[in-house]
Amino acid sequence: MNTQNETLINNYLINNHFFTVMADLTVIIEQTENNYAAYIEGIDGIVATGHSVDEIKSNMVEAIEFYIETCEEMGLEIPEQLQEYNLVFKMDTKCVLAFYYGIFTKAGLSRLTGINQKQLWHYASGTSSPRPAQKVKIENALHKLGEELLSVRL
């Protein structure tokens, strides 16, 4: 349970209007044999599965709602971070590369990231894990591509 000081950090007053800062809940998505599984980092008991990121997102929202309803029915305290929250989805490099396998070729990812195709194959297969700097390169390249695509009008 949060202390009064932690509560004050998450809530603030501007011009006599009270605001609550939404907590970022990190949803960890992992690849399983047949689909994807997800859980919320730091909160036990909330899990979801799905065949796509959109399905995981939808199922995670449902799982949170079910968790809150169950807490209410059983008279249990609902974790404060579930009062106002924003879901942030996190995947490891292998999972991202596997998920987007049919969309991004290793040659295309190599051009975007500047990382050798063979090395990307090692990351995708799980035979090696990227160093933190390489993870940042991949993430930044994907975000840059996403920003470029969002700016396109047809």
Side-chain angles (χ1 to χ4, degrees):
M1 182 175 203
N2 286 350
T3 65
Q4 186 175 5
N5 288 339
E6 289 172 327
T7 301
L8 290 174
I9 291 170
N10 292 329
N11 301 303
Y12 57 95
L13 189 67
I14 297 178
N15 297 330
N16 293 326
H17 289 64
F18 185 71
F19 293 88
T20 299
V21 177
M22 285 199 270
D24 278 347
L25 299 180
T26 302
V27 177
I28 307 297
I29 301 174
E30 297 176 342
Q31 186 175 13
T32 65
E33 190 173 320
N34 298 319
N35 61 9
Y36 295 88
Y39 62 92
I40 297 176
E41 192 173 60
I43 301 178
D44 293 333
I46 303 176
V47 296
T49 61
H51 293 286
S52 69
V53 174
D54 284 339
E55 195 173 341
I56 287 284
K57 288 178 179 180
S58 175
N59 291 346
M60 184 54 71
V61 169
E62 288 179 19
I64 292 169
E65 290 170 358
F66 179 74
Y67 183 88
I68 290 170
E69 288 172 13
T70 302
C71 286
E72 289 171 346
E73 288 173 7
M74 298 181 75
L76 300 172
E77 187 173 334
I78 298 168
E80 187 173 324
Q81 58 266 50
L82 293 179
Q83 303 297 324
E84 294 283 332
Y85 61 87
N86 179 47
L87 296 178
V88 177
F89 295 87
K90 183 176 180 181
M91 301 169 96
D92 67 14
T93 306
K94 178 184 175 189
C95 189
V96 168
L97 295 176
F99 187 80
Y100 292 106
Y101 173 75
I103 297 170
F104 296 117
T105 65
K106 298 303 179 278
L109 280 173
S110 180
R111 284 191 297 275
L112 288 172
T113 63
I115 299 171
N116 179 299
Q117 281 187 59
K118 189 173 182 179
Q119 192 61 49
L120 289 169
W121 277 108
H122 289 296
Y123 299 157
S125 69
T127 56
S128 68
S129 295
R131 296 184 319 273
Q134 296 293 76
K135 286 181 185 180
V136 169
K137 275 178 120 173
I138 294 169
E139 185 174 319
N140 287 344
L142 292 175
H143 288 181
K144 182 178 181 216
L145 175 64
E147 289 169 4
E148 289 172 5
L149 291 172
L150 284 171
S151 69
V152 172
R153 298 289 181 253
L154 300 177

